[in-house]
Coordinates of all heavy atoms in Angstrom, one line a residue:
Q1 N -27.9 126.3 -100.0 CA -27.8 125.4 -98.9 C -27.6 126.1 -97.6 O -26.5 126.7 -97.4 CB -26.7 124.4 -99.2 CG -26.5 123.4 -98.1 CD -25.4 122.4 -98.6 OE1 -25.2 122.2 -99.7 NE2 -24.7 121.9 -97.6
G2 N -28.5 126.1 -96.7 CA -28.4 126.8 -95.4 C -27.9 125.8 -94.4 O -27.9 124.6 -94.5
A3 N -27.5 126.4 -93.3 CA -27.1 125.6 -92.1 C -28.3 125.0 -91.5 O -29.4 125.5 -91.5 CB -26.4 126.5 -91.1
V4 N -28.1 123.8 -90.9 CA -29.2 123.1 -90.2 C -29.2 123.6 -88.7 O -28.1 123.6 -88.1 CB -29.0 121.6 -90.3 CG1 -30.0 120.8 -89.4 CG2 -29.0 121.1 -91.7
S5 N -30.3 124.0 -88.2 CA -30.4 124.5 -86.8 C -30.1 123.3 -85.9 O -30.3 122.2 -86.2 CB -31.7 125.1 -86.5 OG -32.7 124.2 -86.4
A6 N -29.7 123.7 -84.7 CA -29.3 122.7 -83.6 C -30.5 121.8 -83.3 O -30.4 120.6 -83.1 CB -28.8 123.3 -82.4
V7 N -31.7 122.3 -83.3 CA -32.9 121.6 -83.0 C -33.2 120.5 -84.1 O -33.5 119.3 -83.8 CB -34.2 122.5 -83.0 CG1 -35.5 121.7 -82.9 CG2 -34.1 123.4 -81.8
N8 N -33.0 120.9 -85.3 CA -33.2 119.9 -86.4 C -32.1 118.9 -86.6 O -32.3 117.9 -87.3 CB -33.4 120.7 -87.7 CG -34.7 121.5 -87.7 OD1 -35.7 121.1 -87.1 ND2 -34.7 122.6 -88.4
K9 N -31.0 119.1 -86.0 CA -29.9 118.1 -86.1 C -30.3 116.7 -85.4 O -29.7 115.7 -85.7 CB -28.6 118.6 -85.5 CG -28.0 119.6 -86.4 CD -26.6 120.1 -85.9 CE -26.1 121.2 -86.8 NZ -25.0 120.7 -87.7
E10 N -31.3 116.8 -84.5 CA -31.7 115.6 -83.8 C -33.0 114.9 -84.4 O -33.5 114.0 -83.8 CB -31.8 115.9 -82.3 CG -30.5 116.3 -81.7 CD -29.4 115.2 -81.8 OE1 -29.8 114.0 -81.7 OE2 -28.3 115.6 -82.0
I11 N -33.4 115.4 -85.5 CA -34.7 114.9 -86.0 C -34.4 113.5 -86.6 O -33.4 113.3 -87.3 CB -35.3 115.8 -87.1 CG1 -36.7 115.4 -87.5 CG2 -34.4 115.9 -88.3 CD1 -37.4 116.5 -88.3
P12 N -35.3 112.6 -86.3 CA -35.2 111.2 -86.9 C -35.7 111.2 -88.4 O -36.6 111.9 -88.7 CB -36.1 110.3 -86.0 CG -37.1 111.3 -85.4 CD -36.4 112.6 -85.4
V13 N -34.9 110.5 -89.2 CA -35.2 110.4 -90.6 C -35.2 109.0 -91.1 O -34.3 108.2 -90.7 CB -34.2 111.2 -91.5 CG1 -34.4 111.0 -93.0 CG2 -34.2 112.7 -91.1
L14 N -36.2 108.6 -91.8 CA -36.3 107.3 -92.4 C -36.3 107.5 -93.9 O -37.2 108.2 -94.5 CB -37.6 106.5 -92.0 CG -37.8 105.2 -92.8 CD1 -36.8 104.2 -92.5 CD2 -39.2 104.7 -92.4
Q15 N -35.3 106.9 -94.6 CA -35.3 107.0 -96.1 C -35.4 105.6 -96.6 O -34.6 104.7 -96.2 CB -34.0 107.7 -96.5 CG -33.9 107.8 -98.0 CD -32.6 108.5 -98.5 OE1 -31.9 109.1 -97.7 NE2 -32.3 108.3 -99.7
C16 N -36.3 105.4 -97.6 CA -36.5 104.1 -98.1 C -36.3 104.1 -99.6 O -36.5 105.1 -100.3 CB -38.0 103.7 -97.9 SG -38.5 103.6 -96.2
H17 N -35.8 103.0 -100.2 CA -35.4 103.0 -101.6 C -35.5 101.5 -102.1 O -35.0 100.6 -101.5 CB -34.0 103.5 -101.8 CG -33.8 104.1 -103.2 ND1 -33.8 105.5 -103.4 CD2 -33.7 103.5 -104.4 CE1 -33.7 105.7 -104.7 NE2 -33.6 104.6 -105.3
G18 N -36.1 101.4 -103.3 CA -36.0 100.1 -103.9 C -34.7 99.9 -104.7 O -34.2 100.8 -105.3
D19 N -34.2 98.7 -104.7 CA -33.0 98.4 -105.4 C -33.1 98.2 -106.9 O -32.1 98.1 -107.6 CB -32.2 97.3 -104.7 CG -32.9 95.9 -104.9 OD1 -34.0 95.8 -105.5 OD2 -32.3 94.9 -104.5
C20 N -34.3 98.2 -107.4 CA -34.6 98.1 -108.8 C -35.2 99.3 -109.4 O -35.9 99.3 -110.5 CB -35.4 96.9 -109.1 SG -34.5 95.3 -108.7
D21 N -35.1 100.5 -108.7 CA -35.8 101.7 -109.2 C -35.2 102.2 -110.5 O -34.0 102.6 -110.5 CB -35.7 102.8 -108.1 CG -36.5 104.0 -108.3 OD1 -36.8 104.3 -109.5 OD2 -37.0 104.6 -107.4
P22 N -35.9 102.2 -111.6 CA -35.4 102.7 -112.8 C -35.3 104.2 -113.0 O -34.6 104.8 -113.8 CB -36.3 102.1 -113.9 CG -37.6 102.0 -113.2 CD -37.3 101.7 -111.8
L23 N -36.1 104.9 -112.1 CA -36.2 106.4 -112.2 C -35.1 107.1 -111.3 O -34.5 108.1 -111.7 CB -37.6 106.9 -111.9 CG -38.7 106.4 -112.8 CD1 -40.0 106.9 -112.4 CD2 -38.4 106.9 -114.3
V24 N -35.0 106.6 -110.1 CA -34.0 107.1 -109.2 C -33.1 106.0 -108.8 O -33.5 105.2 -107.9 CB -34.7 107.7 -107.9 CG1 -33.7 108.3 -107.0 CG2 -35.8 108.8 -108.3
P25 N -32.0 105.9 -109.4 CA -31.1 104.7 -109.1 C -30.7 104.7 -107.6 O -30.6 105.7 -106.9 CB -29.8 105.0 -109.9 CG -30.3 105.9 -111.0 CD -31.4 106.7 -110.4
L26 N -30.5 103.5 -107.1 CA -30.2 103.2 -105.7 C -28.9 104.1 -105.3 O -28.8 104.6 -104.2 CB -29.9 101.7 -105.4 CG -29.5 101.3 -104.0 CD1 -30.6 101.8 -103.0 CD2 -29.3 99.8 -103.9
R27 N -28.0 104.2 -106.2 CA -26.8 105.0 -106.0 C -27.2 106.4 -105.5 O -26.5 107.0 -104.6 CB -26.0 105.1 -107.3 CG -24.7 105.9 -107.1 CD -23.9 105.8 -108.4 NE -23.0 106.9 -108.6 CZ -23.3 108.0 -109.1 NH1 -24.4 108.2 -109.7 NH2 -22.4 109.0 -109.2
F28 N -28.2 107.0 -106.1 CA -28.6 108.4 -105.7 C -29.2 108.4 -104.3 O -29.0 109.3 -103.5 CB -29.6 109.0 -106.7 CG -29.0 109.3 -108.1 CD1 -29.8 109.4 -109.2 CD2 -27.6 109.4 -108.2 CE1 -29.3 109.7 -110.4 CE2 -27.1 109.7 -109.5 CZ -27.9 109.8 -110.6
G29 N -29.9 107.3 -104.0 CA -30.5 107.2 -102.6 C -29.3 107.1 -101.6 O -29.4 107.7 -100.5
S30 N -28.3 106.3 -102.0 CA -27.1 106.2 -101.1 C -26.4 107.5 -100.9 O -26.0 107.8 -99.8 CB -26.2 105.1 -101.6 OG -26.8 103.8 -101.7
L31 N -26.2 108.2 -102.0 CA -25.6 109.5 -101.9 C -26.4 110.5 -101.0 O -25.8 111.3 -100.2 CB -25.4 110.1 -103.3 CG -24.4 109.4 -104.2 CD1 -24.4 110.0 -105.6 CD2 -23.0 109.6 -103.6
T32 N -27.7 110.4 -101.2 CA -28.6 111.3 -100.4 C -28.5 111.0 -98.9 O -28.4 111.9 -98.1 CB -30.1 111.2 -100.9 OG1 -30.1 111.5 -102.2 CG2 -31.0 112.1 -100.0
V33 N -28.5 109.7 -98.5 CA -28.4 109.4 -97.1 C -27.1 109.8 -96.5 O -27.0 110.2 -95.4 CB -28.7 107.9 -96.9 CG1 -27.6 107.0 -97.2 CG2 -29.2 107.7 -95.5
E34 N -26.0 109.7 -97.3 CA -24.7 110.1 -96.8 C -24.7 111.6 -96.6 O -24.1 112.1 -95.6 CB -23.6 109.7 -97.7 CG -23.4 108.2 -97.7 CD -23.2 107.6 -96.3 OE1 -22.4 108.2 -95.5 OE2 -23.9 106.6 -96.0
K35 N -25.3 112.4 -97.5 CA -25.4 113.8 -97.3 C -26.2 114.2 -96.1 O -25.8 115.0 -95.3 CB -26.1 114.5 -98.6 CG -26.2 116.0 -98.5 CD -24.8 116.6 -98.4 CE -25.0 118.1 -98.5 NZ -23.7 118.8 -98.4
L36 N -27.4 113.5 -95.9 CA -28.2 113.7 -94.7 C -27.3 113.4 -93.4 O -27.4 114.2 -92.4 CB -29.4 112.8 -94.7 CG -30.6 113.2 -95.4 CD1 -31.6 112.1 -95.5 CD2 -31.2 114.4 -94.7
K37 N -26.6 112.3 -93.4 CA -25.8 112.0 -92.2 C -24.7 113.0 -91.9 O -24.3 113.2 -90.8 CB -25.1 110.6 -92.4 CG -26.1 109.5 -92.3 CD -25.4 108.1 -92.5 CE -26.4 107.0 -92.3 NZ -25.7 105.7 -92.5
S38 N -24.3 113.8 -93.0 CA -23.3 114.8 -92.7 C -23.9 116.1 -92.2 O -23.2 117.0 -91.7 CB -22.5 115.1 -94.1 OG -23.3 115.9 -95.0
M39 N -25.2 116.2 -92.3 CA -25.9 117.4 -91.9 C -26.6 117.3 -90.6 O -26.7 118.3 -89.9 CB -27.0 117.8 -93.0 CG -26.4 118.1 -94.3 SD -27.7 118.3 -95.6 CE -28.5 119.7 -95.0
I40 N -27.1 116.1 -90.2 CA -27.7 115.9 -89.0 C -27.1 114.7 -88.2 O -26.1 114.1 -88.8 CB -29.3 115.6 -89.1 CG1 -29.5 114.3 -89.9 CG2 -29.9 116.8 -89.8 CD1 -31.0 113.9 -90.0
N41 N -27.5 114.4 -87.0 CA -26.9 113.3 -86.3 C -27.1 112.0 -87.0 O -28.2 111.5 -87.3 CB -27.6 113.2 -84.9 CG -27.1 112.2 -84.0 OD1 -26.3 111.3 -84.5 ND2 -27.5 112.2 -82.8
P42 N -26.0 111.4 -87.5 CA -26.1 110.2 -88.3 C -26.7 109.0 -87.6 O -27.3 108.2 -88.3 CB -24.6 109.9 -88.7 CG -23.8 110.7 -87.8 CD -24.6 111.9 -87.3
A43 N -26.7 109.1 -86.3 CA -27.4 108.0 -85.5 C -28.9 108.0 -85.7 O -29.6 107.1 -85.5 CB -27.0 108.1 -84.1
N44 N -29.4 109.2 -86.2 CA -30.9 109.4 -86.3 C -31.4 109.1 -87.7 O -32.5 109.3 -88.0 CB -31.3 110.8 -85.9 CG -31.1 111.0 -84.4 OD1 -31.1 110.0 -83.6 ND2 -31.1 112.2 -84.0
V45 N -30.4 108.7 -88.6 CA -30.8 108.5 -90.0 C -30.8 107.0 -90.3 O -29.9 106.3 -90.1 CB -29.8 109.2 -91.0 CG1 -30.1 108.9 -92.4 CG2 -29.7 110.7 -90.7
T46 N -32.0 106.5 -90.8 CA -32.1 105.1 -91.1 C -32.4 105.0 -92.6 O -33.3 105.7 -93.2 CB -33.3 104.5 -90.4 OG1 -33.1 104.7 -89.0 CG2 -33.5 103.0 -90.7
F47 N -31.6 104.2 -93.3 CA -31.8 104.0 -94.7 C -32.1 102.5 -95.0 O -31.4 101.6 -94.6 CB -30.5 104.3 -95.5 CG -30.5 104.2 -97.0 CD1 -31.5 104.9 -97.7 CD2 -29.7 103.4 -97.6 CE1 -31.5 104.8 -99.1 CE2 -29.7 103.3 -99.0 CZ -30.6 104.0 -99.7
R48 N -33.3 102.3 -95.5 CA -33.8 100.9 -95.8 C -33.9 100.7 -97.3 O -34.4 101.6 -98.0 CB -35.1 100.7 -95.2 CG -35.2 100.8 -93.7 CD -35.7 99.5 -93.1 NE -35.9 99.7 -91.7 CZ -35.1 99.5 -90.7 NH1 -33.9 99.0 -91.0 NH2 -35.4 99.7 -89.4
T49 N -33.4 99.6 -97.8 CA -33.6 99.2 -99.2 C -34.4 98.0 -99.3 O -34.5 97.2 -98.3 CB -32.2 98.9 -99.9 OG1 -31.5 97.9 -99.2 CG2 -31.3 100.2 -99.9
Y50 N -35.1 97.9 -100.4 CA -36.1 96.8 -100.6 C -35.8 96.1 -101.9 O -35.8 96.6 -103.0 CB -37.5 97.3 -100.6 CG -37.8 98.1 -99.3 CD1 -37.6 99.4 -99.2 CD2 -38.2 97.4 -98.2 CE1 -37.8 100.1 -98.0 CE2 -38.5 98.0 -97.0 CZ -38.2 99.4 -96.9 OH -38.4 100.0 -95.7
S51 N -35.5 94.8 -101.7 CA -35.1 93.9 -102.8 C -36.2 93.8 -103.9 O -37.3 93.5 -103.5 CB -34.7 92.6 -102.3 OG -34.3 91.7 -103.4
G52 N -35.9 94.1 -105.1 CA -36.8 93.9 -106.2 C -37.8 95.0 -106.3 O -38.6 95.0 -107.3
M53 N -37.8 96.0 -105.4 CA -38.8 97.1 -105.5 C -38.3 98.1 -106.5 O -37.2 98.6 -106.5 CB -39.0 97.8 -104.2 CG -40.2 98.7 -104.1 SD -40.6 99.3 -102.5 CE -39.5 100.6 -102.3
M54 N -39.3 98.5 -107.4 CA -39.0 99.5 -108.4 C -39.4 100.9 -107.8 O -39.3 101.1 -106.6 CB -39.7 99.2 -109.7 CG -39.3 97.8 -110.2 SD -40.1 97.4 -111.8 CE -39.2 98.4 -112.9
H55 N -39.8 101.8 -108.7 CA -40.2 103.2 -108.3 C -41.6 103.1 -107.8 O -42.6 103.5 -108.5 CB -40.0 104.2 -109.4 CG -40.1 105.6 -109.0 ND1 -39.0 106.2 -108.3 CD2 -41.0 106.5 -109.2 CE1 -39.3 107.5 -108.1 NE2 -40.6 107.7 -108.6
S56 N -41.8 102.5 -106.6 CA -43.1 102.2 -106.1 C -43.0 102.0 -104.6 O -42.0 102.5 -104.0 CB -43.7 101.0 -106.7 OG -42.9 99.8 -106.5
S57 N -43.9 101.3 -104.0 CA -43.8 101.0 -102.6 C -44.2 99.5 -102.4 O -44.6 98.9 -103.4 CB -44.7 101.9 -101.7 OG -46.1 101.7 -102.1
S58 N -44.0 99.0 -101.2 CA -44.3 97.6 -100.9 C -44.9 97.5 -99.5 O -44.8 98.5 -98.7 CB -43.1 96.8 -101.0 OG -42.2 97.1 -99.9
I59 N -45.5 96.4 -99.3 CA -46.1 96.2 -97.9 C -44.9 96.2 -96.9 O -45.1 96.9 -95.8 CB -46.8 94.8 -97.9 CG1 -48.0 94.7 -98.8 CG2 -47.1 94.4 -96.4 CD1 -49.1 95.7 -98.4
E60 N -43.8 95.7 -97.2 CA -42.7 95.7 -96.3 C -42.2 97.1 -96.0 O -42.0 97.5 -94.8 CB -41.5 94.9 -96.8 CG -40.3 94.9 -95.9 CD -39.1 94.2 -96.6 OE1 -39.1 93.8 -97.8 OE2 -38.1 94.0 -95.9
E61 N -42.2 98.0 -97.0 CA -41.8 99.4 -96.8 C -42.9 100.1 -95.9 O -42.5 100.8 -95.0 CB -41.7 100.1 -98.1 CG -41.3 101.5 -98.0 CD -41.3 102.3 -99.3 OE1 -42.1 101.9 -100.2 OE2 -40.7 103.3 -99.4
M62 N -44.1 99.9 -96.2 CA -45.2 100.5 -95.5 C -45.2 100.1 -94.0 O -45.5 100.9 -93.1 CB -46.6 100.3 -96.1 CG -46.8 100.9 -97.5 SD -46.7 102.7 -97.4 CE -45.0 103.0 -98.0
M63 N -44.8 98.8 -93.8 CA -44.7 98.4 -92.4 C -43.6 99.1 -91.7 O -43.7 99.5 -90.5 CB -44.6 96.9 -92.3 CG -45.8 96.1 -92.8 SD -47.3 96.5 -91.9 CE -46.9 96.0 -90.2
D64 N -42.5 99.3 -92.4 CA -41.3 100.0 -91.8 C -41.7 101.5 -91.5 O -41.3 102.0 -90.5 CB -40.1 99.9 -92.7 CG -39.5 98.6 -92.8 OD1 -39.7 97.8 -91.8 OD2 -38.7 98.3 -93.7
V65 N -42.5 102.1 -92.4 CA -42.9 103.4 -92.2 C -43.8 103.5 -91.0 O -43.7 104.4 -90.1 CB -43.6 104.0 -93.5 CG1 -44.3 105.3 -93.2 CG2 -42.6 104.1 -94.6
K66 N -44.7 102.6 -90.9 CA -45.7 102.5 -89.7 C -44.9 102.4 -88.4 O -45.1 103.1 -87.4 CB -46.7 101.4 -89.9 CG -47.6 101.3 -88.7 CD -48.5 100.1 -88.8 CE -49.5 100.0 -87.6 NZ -49.1 100.4 -86.3
Q67 N -43.9 101.5 -88.4 CA -43.1 101.3 -87.2 C -42.3 102.6 -86.8 O -42.2 103.0 -85.7 CB -42.1 100.2 -87.3 CG -42.8 98.8 -87.3 CD -41.9 97.7 -87.6 OE1 -40.7 97.9 -87.9 NE2 -42.4 96.4 -87.4
F68 N -41.8 103.3 -87.8 CA -41.1 104.5 -87.6 C -42.0 105.6 -87.1 O -41.7 106.3 -86.1 CB -40.5 105.0 -89.0 CG -39.7 106.3 -88.9 CD1 -38.4 106.2 -88.5 CD2 -40.3 107.5 -89.2 CE1 -37.7 107.4 -88.4 CE2 -39.6 108.6 -89.1 CZ -38.2 108.6 -88.7
I69 N -43.2 105.7 -87.6 CA -44.2 106.7 -87.1 C -44.6 106.4 -85.7 O -44.6 107.2 -84.8 CB -45.4 106.8 -88.1 CG1 -45.0 107.4 -89.4 CG2 -46.5 107.5 -87.4 CD1 -46.0 107.3 -90.5
D70 N -44.9 105.1 -85.5 CA -45.3 104.7 -84.1 C -44.2 105.0 -83.1 O -44.5 105.3 -81.9 CB -45.6 103.2 -84.1 CG -46.9 102.9 -84.8 OD1 -47.7 103.8 -85.1 OD2 -47.1 101.7 -85.1
K71 N -42.9 104.8 -83.5 CA -41.8 105.0 -82.6 C -41.6 106.5 -82.3 O -41.2 106.9 -81.2 CB -40.6 104.4 -83.2 CG -39.3 104.6 -82.3 CD -38.1 103.9 -82.9 CE -36.9 104.1 -82.1 NZ -35.7 103.5 -82.7
H72 N -41.8 107.4 -83.3 CA -41.3 108.8 -83.2 C -42.4 109.8 -83.0 O -42.1 110.9 -82.6 CB -40.4 109.1 -84.4 CG -39.2 108.4 -84.5 ND1 -38.1 108.6 -83.6 CD2 -38.8 107.3 -85.3 CE1 -37.2 107.7 -83.9 NE2 -37.5 107.0 -84.9
L73 N -43.6 109.4 -83.3 CA -44.7 110.4 -83.1 C -45.7 110.0 -82.0 O -45.9 108.8 -81.9 CB -45.5 110.6 -84.4 CG -44.7 111.2 -85.6 CD1 -45.6 111.2 -86.8 CD2 -44.2 112.5 -85.3
P74 N -46.2 110.9 -81.3 CA -47.1 110.6 -80.2 C -48.5 110.1 -80.9 O -48.8 110.4 -82.0 CB -47.4 111.9 -79.5 CG -47.0 113.0 -80.5 CD -46.0 112.4 -81.4
P75 N -49.1 109.2 -80.1 CA -50.4 108.7 -80.7 C -51.5 109.8 -80.8 O -51.4 110.8 -80.0 CB -50.9 107.7 -79.6 CG -50.0 107.9 -78.4 CD -48.8 108.7 -78.8
V76 N -52.3 109.7 -81.7 CA -53.4 110.6 -82.0 C -54.7 110.1 -81.3 O -55.0 108.9 -81.5 CB -53.7 110.8 -83.5 CG1 -54.8 111.8 -83.7 CG2 -52.4 111.3 -84.2
D77 N -55.3 110.9 -80.5 CA -56.5 110.5 -79.8 C -57.7 110.7 -80.7 O -57.8 111.5 -81.5 CB -56.7 111.3 -78.5 CG -55.6 110.9 -77.5 OD1 -55.2 109.8 -77.5 OD2 -55.3 111.8 -76.7

């Protein structure tokens, strides 16, 4: 485990997790987001959970990912 450089401490992170995931329990997602918040600026870490979602994705999650990308990345010409 190395130190996080000052530049990377301000990187925005979106972490998504289904609350019914049988492979990666929600508890592990919660632990991961807390670890991330201890390593980088916690204000830049967003953790979203999706009701009823298993180890998969959903339209709601993909819309959140799209909004995150639109907000943080410049448009591609």
Side-chain angles (χ1 to χ4, degrees):
Q1 176 178 334
V4 175
S5 75
V7 170
N8 291 331
K9 287 186 184 251
E10 294 303 320
I11 192 166
V13 173
L14 171 64
Q15 182 181 340
C16 302
H17 206 103
D19 68 355
C20 293
D21 189 330
L23 297 177
V24 182
L26 181 57
R27 179 174 157 272
F28 293 159
S30 298
L31 291 170
T32 301
V33 81
E34 290 310 312
K35 181 64 175 177
L36 276 169
K37 287 179 178 181
S38 75
M39 296 172 65
I40 65 175
N41 181 349
N44 292 341
V45 178
T46 303
F47 184 57
R48 299 238 191 265
T49 59
Y50 302 90
S51 179
M53 192 170 84
M54 299 181 76
H55 194 74
S56 61
S57 63
S58 68
I59 296 295
E60 182 183 7
E61 180 188 23
M62 293 298 102
M63 292 305 298
D64 288 343
V65 170
K66 181 187 180 317
Q67 287 176 353
F68 181 83
I69 289 170
D70 288 345
K71 179 179 178 181
H72 295 288
L73 294 179
V76 177
D77 292 332

